[in-house]
Amino acid sequence: ILNVEQSPQSLHVQEGDSTNFTCSFPSSNFYALHWYRWETAKSPEALFVMTLNGDEKKKGRISATLNTKEGYSYLYIKGSQPEDSATYLCAFTVGNQFYFGTGTSLTVIP
Amino acid sequence: ETGVTQTPRHLVMGMTNKKSLKCEQHLGHNAMYWYKQSAKKPLELMFVYNFKEQTENNSVPSRFSPECPNSSHLFLHLHTLQPEDSALYLCASSQDLDSDTQYFGPGTRLTVL
């Protein structure tokens, strides 16, 4: 079993604040790194897939970076809105196996 | 309509009951997965099916029995479960085993009394 760690476990931010959180994964045998957004009582929704060291992806106010050599990825949210409140999961893949972190739970306070 | 649906959304069962969870995907994918999420733990892969054939069984106890009658449907049959099996059970699908992205259903919240 490969260990994928996410930090922090949870955070609360004010509407309009920017925030970021971290996903750490083993740097050997890297294939891809995924970010998912998971709202309560809904399906996890894929945000990004990144495969190359130095990759940066952006979707609206959300962006992600990848460092495969040191084994981490950052997810950034600019100008947080209440609708951004969700758990953000990362998953590291080796071959076709997904290894998930426990997620960062974000609450944006209006 | 979401691409992956799961029924029921909530299930309470006794340890001697037999029940089944159902997953259906409308995405034309060939691979389907069952995951378990226990409180404060990461998603754990249970089973993988590719073109209806089971390709992965991650040491799951035999009281969980999967069935994949076709590429669109996946079942998880439950029998004589234990209270520690209470968890959220998520189904996912992907185009094939080497696909970049898995698409998830909303899960079934299972409580075993």
Side-chain angles (χ1 to χ4, degrees), chain A:
Chain A
I1 295 177
L2 299 177
N3 205 26
V4 178
E5 295 192 1
Q6 291 189 246
S7 62
Q9 263 192 340
S10 66
L11 75 163
H12 293 69
V13 301
Q14 289 293 136
E15 182 175 352
D17 285 353
S18 293
T19 188
N20 65 84
F21 17 96
T22 308
C23 173
S24 302
F25 52 86
S27 53
S28 57
N29 297 320
F30 178 83
Y31 183 73
L33 192 284
H34 304 250
W35 282 102
Y36 284 84
R37 179 172 178 275
W38 193 2
E39 286 184 72
T40 303
K42 293 190 178 179
S43 308
E45 172 199 350
L47 286 175
F48 304 115
V49 180
M50 294 182 287
T51 55
L52 298 176
N53 184 44
D55 254 356
E56 287 190 35
K57 294 277 177 94
K58 189 173 180 183
K59 194 175 189 176
R61 293 179 291 98
I62 305 177
S63 60
T65 61
L66 178 67
N67 183 323
T68 60
K69 293 185 179 177
E70 294 181 44
Y72 65 83
S73 174
Y74 293 137
L75 189 81
Y76 301 90
I77 303 179
K78 186 177 176 182
S80 303
Q81 300 297 307
E83 59 264 30
D84 296 328
S85 298
T87 295
Y88 291 83
L89 286 178
C90 74
F92 163 79
T93 54
V94 175
N96 54 33
Q97 285 264 9
F98 277 59
Y99 297 91
F100 284 86
T102 51
T104 292
S105 173
L106 172 68
T107 303
V108 181
I109 303 162

Side-chain angles (χ1 to χ4, degrees), chain B residues 1-66:
Chain B
E1 182 191 321
T2 182
V4 182
T5 57
Q6 289 187 243
T7 54
R9 294 293 305 274
H10 299 271
L11 178 63
V12 179
M13 61 186 288
M15 289 191 283
T16 57
N17 291 159
K18 287 185 185 179
K19 296 284 184 184
S20 296
L21 309 185
K22 180 183 175 183
C23 174
E24 184 173 359
Q25 56 98 358
H26 314 273
L27 302 168
H29 290 168
N30 299 314
M32 295 187 78
Y33 311 79
W34 278 117
Y35 286 89
K36 175 185 177 183
Q37 192 192 36
S38 304
K40 299 195 186 293
K41 289 188 175 180
L43 288 171
E44 295 173 55
L45 181 66
M46 299 175 73
F47 301 105
V48 181
Y49 277 81
N50 190 39
F51 289 100
K52 304 187 298 177
E53 299 297 320
Q54 188 180 126
T55 61
E56 195 82 36
N57 173 341
N58 267 8
S59 304
V60 180
S62 59
R63 58 186 184 269
F64 295 92
S65 172

